């Protein structure tokens, strides 16, 4: 059944209704939040290889973007500040253009093989500090800029969602042939007209994976 906005007879429309249905986690669930980066958070970030960053523009449009690199790519600069390098991508730069309009960000950090995640909320800014960029070199690629996150809240999140999803379970991996390649999806979704054939789009996306994960110069 499709419930259109404003027509769902089962809609929950107030915090009181929601709490009556689901209850509250109790004060301990709020007390676990940290406003500084302690040693446990530092150690978690040192192991992190993948993070999602949620941001919002001035009009309230939201975006969640993935970022990944070898362990240690998230740099802890002090007790309340971390830095995340920018790498080669599609150049839409949704996260960064949003930050320039609204600095609020939310992050979920993942460590391969670990079901628990680290959640971080705060405000972000962008920097081209050359000394910082030099510490972020990977395979010859020095980022042109980095995102600084000024941490206001950080806490570890239990692993039930990842356990339910079997994220790290090898037996849960799909047969990749059940879903089209990224090149095929982009061709179907894109407005290429007569500019590119399907084969050309597939070749371009394959080339991106093979040669441009860490391009020496992506300026």
């Amino acid at each position: 059944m499709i419930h259109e906005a404003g027509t769902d007879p089962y809609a929950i429309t107030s915090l009181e209704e929601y709490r009556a249905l689901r209850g509250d986690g109790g004060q301990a669930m709020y007390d676990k939040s940290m406003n500084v980066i302690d040693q446990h958070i530092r150690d978690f970030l040192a192991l992190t290889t993948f993070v999602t960053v949620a941001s919002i523009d001035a009009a309230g449009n939201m975006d969640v973007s993935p970022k990944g690199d070898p362990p240690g790519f998230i740099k802890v600069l002090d007790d309340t500040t971390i830095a995340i390098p920018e790498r080669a991508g599609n150049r839409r730069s949704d996260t960064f253009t949003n930050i320039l309009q609204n600095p609020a960000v939310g992050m979920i950090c993942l460590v391969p093989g670990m079901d628990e995640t680290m959640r971080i909320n705060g405000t972000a800014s962008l920097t081209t500090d050359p000394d910082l960029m030099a510490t972020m070199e990977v395979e010859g690629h020095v980022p042109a800029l980095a995102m600084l996150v000024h941490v206001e809240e950080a806490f570890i999140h239990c692993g039930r969602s990842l356990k339910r999803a079997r994220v790290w379970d090898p037996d849960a991996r799909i047969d990749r042939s059940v879903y089209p390649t990224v090149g095929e999806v982009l061709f179907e979704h894109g407005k290429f007209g007569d500019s590119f054939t399907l084969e050309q789009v597939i070749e371009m996306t394959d080339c991106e994976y093979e040669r441009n994960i860490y391009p020496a110069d992506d300026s």
Side-chain angles (χ1 to χ4, degrees), residues 117-188:
T117 59
M118 183 65 63
R119 290 173 56 178
I120 295 176
N121 299 311
T123 58
S125 59
L126 306 180
T127 183
T128 59
D129 180 347
D131 292 335
L132 177 59
M133 299 306 107
T135 70
M136 295 177 161
E137 179 179 350
V138 176
E139 295 187 13
H141 178 264
V142 178
L145 74 158
M147 177 177 69
L148 301 180
V149 178
H150 311 283
V151 177
E152 297 173 357
E153 180 183 39
F155 58 93
I156 196 164
H157 193 107
C158 79
R160 281 177 288 187
S161 59
L162 268 70
K163 286 182 178 295
R164 287 191 288 258
R166 300 171 65 196
V167 169
W168 310 121
D169 184 351
D171 292 334
R173 294 180 61 133
I174 67 165
D175 178 345
R176 189 57 184 84
S177 65
V178 304
Y179 190 81
T181 67
V182 64
E184 292 170 322
V185 174
L186 288 175
F187 184 80
E188 292 293 331

Side-chain angles (χ1 to χ4, degrees), residues 85-102:
E86 170 65 341
R87 300 296 183 192
N90 57 23
R91 299 183 190 271
R92 282 181 51 131
S93 301
D94 297 296
T95 300
F96 298 134
T97 55
N98 285 352
I99 288 170
L100 293 172
Q101 300 171 64
N102 183 335

Side-chain angles (χ1 to χ4, degrees), residues 55-70:
S55 60
I56 184 170
D57 69 13
N61 301 304
M62 298 195 70
D63 175 73
V64 179
S65 294
K67 298 187 181 299
D69 245 341

